[in-house]
Amino acid sequence: MLLRGFDVAPEVEVRGENDRTVFERFRLRSPDILVDTVRSSRHQIVLVKPLCDSQQVDRLLDLDGMRPGKAVWAWRDPYDRARSEVSKFGDSNLQALRAIAAGTDFGMWQGERLPDASREIVQSFDVDAMTAETAAVVFWAVRNLLYFDLGLAGRDDVFLSSYDALVRNPAGHMRRLCEFLAFPYRVELHEHIQPRDTFESRPLDVDPKAAALADDVSSRLAAAEAAHAKGWGQDT
């Protein structure tokens, strides 16, 4: 949603995960290629979506050869995300968790920079008996814990963005994001987003332990986002 909105702005060059200059199989090709791409751009902002490299956000913000950048850490309700994940990719998160639990995840982006505490969380589950839906919820939790593990919470150059807050109030959320980016707000950035609530009526059957974990991480993210919004003097 954010990429589609900013892609209409002439000041912004969008490099999504399908861009072959910057990405290869959804991974960033190299820091040097990223730096060269940004430096050669004639646009005010180069917007890059390193979804499978979000564990590198702190390092990407500190790359040499570029002016200081900013990051948006986007997060979604864990159960809605799990539904979407399983419908599109089946048990891919389950396979990743099994590799992480077994310590055989070398070279897999899913396990990069996971701290010991998160690995212990994964290992505390019976991954052999786990459903794809439960795995998607646990995977969501350990990936979003990276926001705290990497020290991104409270950084002035990282914006915590809730998908649910965005679709509830596109104009208000986009105004706050534009203020963070020092970018002129315009309605075209969000006019493709229909305001709505995001609560699913269809229940998702997951392990209660996984649900408790996800609820705890959700509460931490919501509290961090509320603190950011208060710091900006706005509501999400």
Side-chain angles (χ1 to χ4, degrees):
M1 285 185 174
L2 294 179
L3 265 65
R4 179 179 173 185
F6 280 101
D7 201 27
V8 304
E11 306 97 322
V12 181
E13 177 180 339
V14 172
R15 297 280 185 172
E17 66 269 39
N18 292 311
D19 183 278
R20 294 186 178 182
T21 298
V22 177
F23 294 95
E24 181 176 3
R25 297 179 64 85
F26 310 114
R27 297 295 308 273
L28 286 170
R29 294 171 66 89
S30 75
D32 289 342
I33 290 176
L34 178 60
V35 170
D36 289 344
T37 301
V38 173
R39 294 186 65 182
S40 64
S41 176
R42 297 182 180 181
H43 294 75
Q44 177 185 340
I45 292 177
V46 179
L47 178 57
V48 181
K49 184 186 174 185
L51 183 62
C52 296
D53 293 279
S54 55
Q55 67 277 6
Q56 306 292 344
V57 168
D58 56 333
R59 294 172 175 173
L60 294 174
L61 288 172
D62 294 331
L63 285 177
D64 292 332
M66 294 195 299
R67 65 182 180 180
K70 294 184 177 182
V72 177
W73 186 279
W75 66 286
R76 186 181 183 184
D77 174 87
Y79 308 105
D80 289 347
R81 183 266 171 191
R83 291 185 185 91
S84 176
E85 166 69 24
V86 174
S87 68
K88 292 180 180 179
F89 304 109
D91 68 349
S92 61
N93 283 174
L94 177 57
Q95 297 303 320
L97 291 188
R98 286 174 175 170
I100 292 168
T104 58
D105 57 299
F106 179 78
M108 296 175 58
W109 65 267
Q110 292 93 332
E112 282 184 2
R113 303 189 75 190
L114 279 186
D116 290 342
S118 289
R119 290 184 174 274
E120 290 171 1
I121 288 174
V122 173
Q123 291 166 352
S124 71
F125 288 89
D126 183 356
V127 292
D128 291 328
M130 185 180 283
T131 66
E133 288 78 13
T134 292
V137 169
V138 173
F139 185 79
W140 175 94
V142 296
R143 289 294 292 179
N144 278 285
L145 279 172
L146 284 169
Y147 173 76
F148 303 99
D149 298 331
L150 299 178
L152 305 179
R155 283 185 61 152
D156 293 337
D157 54 357
V158 180
F159 183 91
L160 186 58
S161 177
S162 164
Y163 166 89
D164 301 273
L166 172 65
V167 298
R168 279 198 305 268
N169 181 11
H173 200 74
M174 187 60 71
R175 285 182 184 276
R176 191 163 68 90
L177 176 57
C178 286
E179 184 177 355
F180 165 76
L181 296 172
F183 187 81
Y185 165 81
R186 65 200 68 165
V187 69
E188 291 82 5
L189 297 174
H190 61 79
E191 65 181 355
H192 62 290
I193 304 174
Q194 182 67 36
R196 62 188 185 277
D197 287 327
T198 58
F199 303 105
E200 285 271 5
S201 58
R202 180 167 57 87
L204 186 67
D205 184 18
V206 300
D207 185 308
K209 180 180 173 182
L213 171 65
D215 292 346
D216 178 65
V217 177
S218 292
S219 295
R220 291 183 64 185
L221 290 168
E225 188 163 7
H228 284 188
K230 184 176 181 181
W232 287 89
Q234 299 180 21
D235 295 325
T236 56

